[in-house]
Structure formats: C-alpha cells, structure tokens
Amino acid sequence: DTGVSQNPRHKITKRGQNVTFRCDPISEHNRLYWYRQTLGQGPEFLTYFQNEAQLEKSRLLSDRFSAERPKGSFSTLEIQRTEQGDSAMYLCASSPDLIENTIYFGEGSWLTVV
Amino acid sequence: SQQGEEDPQALSIQEGENATMNCSYKTSINNLQWYRQNSGRGLVHLILIRSNEREKHSGRLRVTLDTSKKSSSLLITASRAADTASYFCATDAGANNLFFGTGTRLTVIP
C-alpha cells in the first residue's frame, strides 16, 4: 500500500495522559499536513510541513500540541496532558504539488479522551 | 474558521436519482476541490476545478464553479448506494493548505 499511513488507528486515553500519533506520507511527497475533525464537521487545519520545516501552524494548535517531521519523511503529532475536548479524529495528508494543492489523506487516528 | 459551507447539510435520495450539493466560500481562490469521506474513514479526492474554469466532468461527477457568486456545485448522476458518504468542498484561498466546509451527508437508498 503506497498511500498515507497513520497509526494507531484508535487510541483511548485517560485525561491528562500524553498521546502520540505517527504519519507516514506517500513516498516523495514533500508536503505533509495534519488536520483535526470532530463529528459532523469538516477537517480543520492544524499544521503543515515542507520537508522537515514546519511552515504554518493554526491557532487550534495549542502549546499542548507539538508536531515534528525530523527527516522530512514521517511525522509525529503529540498531544500532552490530554483533555476531553481533544477527542477527535486526527488526519494526516501529504502532497507532492505546490500549485494545485491536491492532498491525499490517510485513514485517520481516532482519539477518545475519557 | 472554515472557508466553505455546503448545502444541504444532509440529502437522501433513491438509487438512480441525481444528487446535487452546493458549496459557498468567502474569499478569492486558486482552485476548489471536492472530497468524499465514508463514515469513519479518511477523505478521498474527487475532482479539482481551477478558478478560471466553469465546469468540469469526471465520470458521473459534474462540478461547476461561479467565482462571481463564490459558489460551486457537485452533481452526482445516476447515484448508487455506494455513493453514500459525506462530501466536502475545499478551497485554498491562496494559502498553503486547504479549508474545508462542513460537508453534505448523502444517503442513497437502494
């Protein structure tokens, strides 16, 4: 499978715990995005990488959230001291193309904070 | 805030009928895209229309774009039960990422 891969697919955690999600983009895609989606809503942009550089962050990305893409390939999204409001699906996407911006999504990682 | 708004929020049709979904957006765009999402899954890119295009076809999909009204429509012809999903429009608004609407939940009844 050469698509965007995310894991874990599901995570249940207690409030206050830290969680980390991993994303492996499509090979040779130099752009990588993280989005968050809650039930009944569309995806909301969190952050974007061009290779290893994090070029843009949304206001939604509070200081409890950190994303990295150390070698310009896979990326991790860590949420520290989780809160119930963090419960959502976290979607990773990648793109090869600067101009048209078509992005390719993974299947998402569901987070439930109890 | 999200850039686009889809209308209707939910649509239920019989198999074989056509489904039309609309999207309105707020600012100038380079292109507009439509994505599909099955329940609990990731989004799948369907079609992209550039700001200088007015209509585009792909299989059973037809997309129109009216930049003067800042609106787009997605038509799915001869719908199938497998078309049941949520459909989102997304715009770039000149930024380096896409802004998604709230989606239209389409149910196609066999």
Side-chain angles (χ1 to χ4, degrees):
Chain A
D1 189 340
T2 58
V4 177
S5 176
Q6 291 188 246
N7 65 81
R9 290 292 318 280
H10 298 89
K11 179 74 176 178
I12 299 174
T13 192
K14 291 184 178 179
R15 188 174 54 187
Q17 297 291 309
N18 299 344
V19 296
T20 299
F21 299 111
R22 176 178 168 126
C23 172
D24 289 89
I26 295 172
S27 180
E28 298 180 356
H29 280 194
N30 52 20
R31 296 184 138 210
L32 186 146
Y33 308 80
W34 285 99
Y35 283 79
R36 181 174 73 184
Q37 186 179 24
T38 53
L39 284 175
Q41 299 297 314
E44 295 176 296
F45 171 75
L46 291 178
T47 190
Y48 140 68
F49 290 84
Q50 176 84 27
N51 299 314
E52 66 274 12
Q54 188 174 19
L55 296 186
E56 194 169 338
K57 292 196 293 186
S58 161
R59 289 174 299 171
L60 294 173
L61 211 67
S62 76
D63 56 6
R64 295 185 299 105
F65 288 68
S66 62
E68 295 182 344
R69 194 182 183 197
K71 298 182 180 179
S73 56
F74 74 92
S75 175
T76 57
L77 176 68
E78 182 183 18
I79 308 172
Q80 296 182 326
R81 305 181 302 281
T82 52
E83 302 172 356
Q84 287 187 319
D86 297 332
S87 295
M89 181 160 70
Y90 291 86
L91 290 158
C92 178
S94 68
S95 168
D97 192 281
L98 176 63
I99 298 174
E100 293 200 330
N101 230 3
T102 298
I103 60 178
Y104 300 86
F105 282 86
E107 293 290 349
S109 293
W110 281 100
L111 174 64
T112 302
V113 181
V114 298
Chain B
S1 63
Q2 291 180 327
Q3 166 78 333
E5 293 289 336
E6 285 90 343
D7 170 62
Q9 288 188 332
L11 179 62
S12 184
I13 59 173
Q14 295 288 329
E15 199 166 31
E17 294 181 339
N18 296 342
T20 299
M21 290 159 266
N22 302 296
C23 167
S24 60
Y25 58 92
K26 297 175 183 174
T27 62
S28 297
I29 60 172
N30 294 316
N31 61 64
L32 184 144
Q33 305 182 43
W34 285 89
Y35 285 78
R36 165 200 167 118
Q37 184 179 37
N38 286 10
S39 181
R41 307 294 296 274
L43 284 81
V44 176
H45 178 258
L46 294 176
I47 193 166
L48 178 150
I49 186 165
R50 296 182 181 86
S51 59
N52 62 353
E53 296 176 314
R54 291 297 167 258
E55 188 171 313
K56 200 162 183 179
H57 297 253
S58 177
R60 294 184 296 112
L61 305 180
R62 174 181 161 239
V63 170
T64 62
L65 179 64
D66 187 336
T67 53
S68 67
K69 296 181 179 178
K70 292 186 169 57
S71 66
S72 173
S73 67
L74 171 67
L75 169 67
I76 304 174
T77 60
S79 63
R80 305 167 182 168
D83 294 329
T84 294
S86 291
Y87 292 82
F88 295 90
C89 68
T91 56
D92 60 353
N96 289 315
N97 62 73
L98 294 179
F99 295 92
F100 288 83
T102 52
T104 292
R105 292 184 305 281
L106 173 66
T107 302
V108 181
I109 302 166

